[in-house]
Amino acid sequence: MPPISLHKPQVLGREEIARSRLFTIESLELRFSNGAERTFERLKGSGSGAVMIVAMPDPDHVLLIHEYAAGFDDYALTLPKGLVDPGEDIITAANRELMEECGVGARRIEPLVELSLAPNYMNHRMQVMLATDLYEKRLPGDEPEPLVVETHALDALPALLAREDFHEARAIAALFIAREKLRSERQSEPWW
C-alpha cells in the first residue's frame, strides 16, 4: 500500500483563551485538506523543555523518587525529572535535577529518547536521559518537601508495574527503553 500523503491543516485563527503560571490554553481554528473545519484546543508549555532521568547507581539498579502528584492528589513513584532552565542544555539540566531530587550527580549522561505526552492536546516533549557513574552531590531544589529516593532492580519492572503508586507512562516507557538499550549493549560485549 502506498504511503498516505498527509498535509497539515491550514490555521485560520489562533487565540489565547487562558493562561496560568505554567500553561497557556490556545484555541486553533483549522481547515483540513478535505475542507473540514474544526476548532482544537491545546496546552502550550513554556520554557526550554524538560528532562527525565534514568539514574543507575550500578548496572542493574535505578533510582526512583516518591513525589506528590497534584493531578492525583497522592504520592507517585517515578523517575527524577524537571524543566530545562533558560540557558541550560539537556545534560546540565539532567545533572542539576539529579542533584536536587536524588542527592547525586552523574559523570556520564546520554540522551535515550524523546517522549511526548498527549500530543493531541499538548506540545510538551521530554528528553529521557541515561545517567551512570553516579557520585554524591546535593543541590537545593524547588521541591516543597524532601523527596524519598528508592533503588529498584531494572529487571524487576513487572513488580514495579504491580504497584499502585507506579503509573506514570513516561517513566514506564523510559525504564523499558533503558533496560532494552542496556541489554543490547551487554549482548554485544565480548565474552572474554
Side-chain angles (χ1 to χ4, degrees):
M1 175 186 302
I4 297 173
S5 177
L6 298 175
H7 301 282
K8 287 173 51 172
Q10 177 186 4
V11 178
L12 303 174
R14 182 185 315 252
E15 178 185 2
E16 182 180 303
I17 57 176
R19 180 183 289 268
S20 77
R21 183 176 53 86
L22 296 176
F23 301 106
T24 300
I25 301 175
E26 184 178 63
S27 175
L28 297 173
E29 299 293 329
L30 303 173
R31 179 180 296 132
F32 290 81
S33 60
N34 65 358
E37 292 186 9
R38 296 288 188 277
T39 301
F40 279 56
E41 291 180 358
R42 69 178 182 177
L43 285 177
K44 287 182 62 178
S46 60
S48 305
V51 291
M52 176 176 273
I53 307 101
V54 178
M56 309 222 23
D58 63 59
D60 299 314
H61 293 88
V62 64
L63 300 180
L64 297 172
I65 59 169
H66 278 276
E67 70 177 345
Y68 180 72
F72 282 85
D73 186 28
D74 205 353
Y75 286 85
L77 184 65
T78 188
L79 290 168
K81 61 189 168 300
L83 297 175
V84 177
D85 287 343
E88 277 186 324
D89 59 47
I90 58 175
I91 304 279
T92 303
N95 213 19
R96 177 185 49 75
E97 288 293 340
L98 265 181
M99 292 176 193
E100 290 175 1
E101 296 188 2
C102 296
V104 298
R107 290 182 187 88
R108 182 171 180 203
I109 300 176
E110 61 183 290
L112 274 179
V113 68
E114 180 181 82
L115 298 175
S116 66
L117 178 67
N120 288 7
Y121 303 101
M122 304 172 78
N123 70 346
H124 181 75
R125 296 172 186 262
M126 181 166 275
Q127 305 296 322
V128 178
M129 313 298 284
L130 179 64
T132 54
D133 196 8
L134 306 182
Y135 58 92
E136 287 188 33
K137 172 86 179 198
R138 177 154 308 273
L139 290 177
D142 58 0
E143 290 75 22
E145 63 185 355
L147 300 178
V148 175
V149 180
E150 293 183 8
T151 302
H152 289 270
L154 193 55
D155 281 337
L157 287 177
L160 277 172
L161 290 171
R163 291 179 57 150
E164 288 184 21
D165 62 348
F166 185 70
H167 47 71
E168 185 180 2
R170 296 174 302 177
I172 294 167
L175 288 176
F176 274 101
I177 291 165
R179 185 183 73 176
E180 292 311 305
K181 174 185 173 43
L182 294 168
R183 281 182 178 173
S184 174
E185 287 176 356
R186 286 179 187 153
Q187 290 173 354
S188 65
E189 291 177 1
W191 57 271
W192 59 90

